[in-house]
Amino acid sequence: MPTISAKGLSMPESPIRKLVPYSEKAKKAGTKVFHLNIGQPDIKTPEVALNAVRNFDFEILEYSHSAGFESYRNKLAAYYRTHGLPVETADILITTGGSEALLFAMGVTMDAGDEIIIPEPFYANYNGFSTASGVKVVPIISGIETGFALPPIADFEKRITSKTKAILICNPGNPTGYLYSKEELLQLAEIVKKYDLFLIADEVYREFIYDDQPHLSVLNIAGIEQNAIMIDSVSKRYSMCGARIGCIVSKNKEVMQTAMKYAQARLSPPTFAQIASEAALDTPQSYFDDVVAEYKERRDTLVEELSKIAGVQVAKPRGAFYCIAKLPVADADHFAQWLLESYSYNGATVMVAPAAGFYSTPNVGKDEVRIAYVLKKADLIQAVEILKNALEAYPGK
């Protein structure tokens, strides 16, 4: 019988999606499931984006340019410049989601067996992208005690070897919601310059910043123009997760020329989704003001309610729409499955993402979960009430 590749067998499961069968079974049994497990916003997609697709007149659904529509890239570059990022059209390549942009970034900067340093916990699919690319993740643990701040730069230096090619951060972070300070980013800039590394920044949550904190892009840091690669996406900015449109952005011409070869190999990003994404750039600022205000209220509600539960520790996020909560359980994987298989409170239960899958280091984060505050405030309050009662009833503490 033919065998599966070692790479395929080592591809990790998604901690976000692996419990879906249990959720589906619970729903079929009549249990209401509050989804705190996935970053699917309930915010409406801007009408201007939807109308662009509804009203598009065509006779042939053609390939687009491998780099994406020039009109979209021109408009996107202008958007970045209005937000203080020094981006030109030639610095942008449109991808099929931020996921493809990250795969391109790894493919461009690393060979099989090379290493990438990532502060953890990190977006779980970084593990999958690195496995698919034959790249080794070298993790550096950040802790809930510091709110998941950047680990000491000395810890990065200890892990740099001849195989190290890049450092990857998510800012603000998924799954922690941590927002890196200017001082932390300047420290990273110094180390990538010192060791001639790439600094890849996943900035897809840039618009979701709270408490009047500034966001500093890697593209705004002087002196690392040839080191910096930014990853972006429309998924969360415009609540367009299903569009699957992202981009890779860099001032490094060799990076972009090489990424273009990957883009040509997959032909082109999807046409309709680019039409929607280009139109979405006309979304008024009031849309974002309302969305950020809504998420901030949800964040405050969630953190306040979780803090009332005995034995629960939560780091207050300053961006994105996730938080990590430490629970009084030995195995959050088992607890999350038990919630769906064996527990309901007033006919409802909750679905969370076990946080161990957001770490690369074995046996870390086993008592943590990621919670996405993408539900309305009343639903969040009810979901945390269920969680509180579930922790009291759970037999596997």
Side-chain angles (χ1 to χ4, degrees):
M1 180 178 174
T3 58
I4 302 299
S5 69
K7 181 190 288 186
L9 292 173
S10 63
M11 182 67 73
E13 277 189 306
S14 168
I16 307 166
R17 297 175 181 267
K18 69 180 182 179
L19 294 171
V20 167
Y22 301 104
S23 169
E24 291 172 341
K25 188 174 179 180
K27 290 175 185 176
K28 287 178 182 176
T31 301
K32 179 180 175 61
V33 177
F34 287 97
H35 284 273
L36 303 177
N37 62 302
I38 192 165
Q40 171 57 63
D42 64 351
I43 304 296
K44 287 186 177 181
T45 303
E47 198 69 19
V48 65
L50 299 177
N51 285 337
V53 175
R54 292 180 182 127
N55 300 329
F56 183 60
D57 185 21
F58 68 99
E59 293 182 357
I60 300 173
L61 193 57
E62 299 177 331
Y63 288 122
S64 77
H65 192 289
S66 291
F69 292 146
E70 185 176 13
S71 59
Y72 178 34
R73 287 181 287 126
N74 286 339
K75 199 170 176 180
L76 186 57
Y79 170 84
Y80 286 134
R81 289 195 297 272
T82 63
H83 286 75
L85 278 66
V87 176
E88 302 300 327
T89 301
D91 304 329
I92 303 172
L93 192 153
I94 305 302
T95 58
T96 308
S99 298
E100 188 177 66
L102 281 158
L103 284 167
F104 284 4
M106 288 187 181
V108 167
T109 62
M110 285 166 271
D111 291 312
D114 283 341
E115 299 174 352
I116 184 167
I117 299 175
I118 315 179
E120 60 180 351
F122 51 70
Y123 176 48
N125 282 340
Y126 294 166
N127 277 324
F129 301 149
S130 62
T131 299
S133 304
V135 171
K136 180 183 177 183
V137 170
V138 178
I140 301 183
I141 296 175
S142 59
I144 197 168
E145 298 78 16
T146 64
F148 300 104
L150 188 76
I153 285 297
D155 290 353
F156 284 84
E157 295 208 69
K158 289 175 188 174
R159 288 163 173 80
I160 293 173
T161 71
S162 60
K163 289 285 189 180
T164 307
K165 294 296 185 290
I167 294 171
L168 169 60
I169 60 169
C170 186
N171 185 37
N174 174 5
T176 64
Y178 186 78
L179 178 67
Y180 289 109
S181 68
K182 180 179 180 179
E183 291 71 26
E184 289 171 321
L185 289 167
L186 291 178
Q187 287 181 320
L188 288 173
E190 285 303 314
I191 201 169
V192 298
K193 283 194 293 185
K194 180 178 179 180
Y195 292 96
D196 208 19
L197 307 175
F198 288 101
L199 178 57
I200 304 170
D202 182 345
E203 299 184 2
V204 304
Y205 298 97
R206 169 190 307 106
E207 277 74 19
F208 307 108
I209 308 293
Y210 316 115
D211 308 322
D212 298 318
Q213 298 290 319
H215 176 269
L216 179 65
S217 171
V218 291
L219 297 180
N220 286 127
I221 302 175
I224 61 166
E225 290 82 3
Q226 300 307 303
N227 309 75
I229 300 173
M230 183 184 80
I231 306 299
D232 205 0
S233 168
V234 304
S235 292
K236 308 305 164 77
R237 178 181 302 140
Y238 302 111
S239 194
M240 288 170 54
C241 296
R244 309 312 307 135
I245 291 293
C247 61
I248 178 171
V249 186
S250 180
K251 305 298 287 186
N252 185 315
K253 287 182 169 52
E254 191 174 7
V255 164
M256 298 309 293
Q257 288 166 359
T258 309
M260 184 60 172
K261 291 190 284 187
Y262 281 85
Q264 290 169 341
R266 63 82 163 105
L267 303 184
S268 65
T271 294
F272 274 125
Q274 288 185 83
I275 291 166
S277 300
E278 182 175 336
L281 289 166
D282 292 327
T283 303
Q285 182 59 40
S286 58
Y287 173 89
F288 299 106
D289 294 341
D290 292 344
V291 170
V292 169
E294 175 67 21
Y295 278 132
K296 182 181 184 298
E297 188 174 3
R298 293 179 184 188
R299 178 204 64 172
D300 293 344
T301 297
L302 177 66
V303 171
E304 180 182 352
E305 295 302 314
L306 285 172
S307 299
K308 295 176 183 177
I309 305 176
V312 171
Q313 184 178 359
V314 59
K316 188 173 185 178
R318 294 191 291 177
F321 37 68
Y322 309 99
C323 73
I324 291 285
K326 190 171 186 176
L327 306 181
V329 299
D331 187 342
D333 262 290
H334 182 271
F335 176 65
Q337 185 172 328
W338 173 84
L339 279 169
L340 297 169
E341 276 194 310
S342 307
Y343 184 78
S344 70
Y345 180 76
N346 292 334
T349 191
V350 295
M351 189 175 182
V352 293
F358 295 90
Y359 291 85
S360 183
T361 303
N363 300 315
V364 176
K366 289 181 68 65
D367 58 352
E368 296 174 356
V369 295
R370 186 194 75 167
I371 295 176
Y373 44 96
V374 292
L375 303 180
K376 292 178 174 59
K377 191 166 77 168
D379 288 343
L380 285 173
I381 291 171
Q382 190 174 348
V384 176
E385 177 69 12
I386 294 168
L387 188 63
K388 174 181 179 293
N389 283 277
L391 285 168
E392 293 172 356
Y394 180 55
K397 296 174 184 175

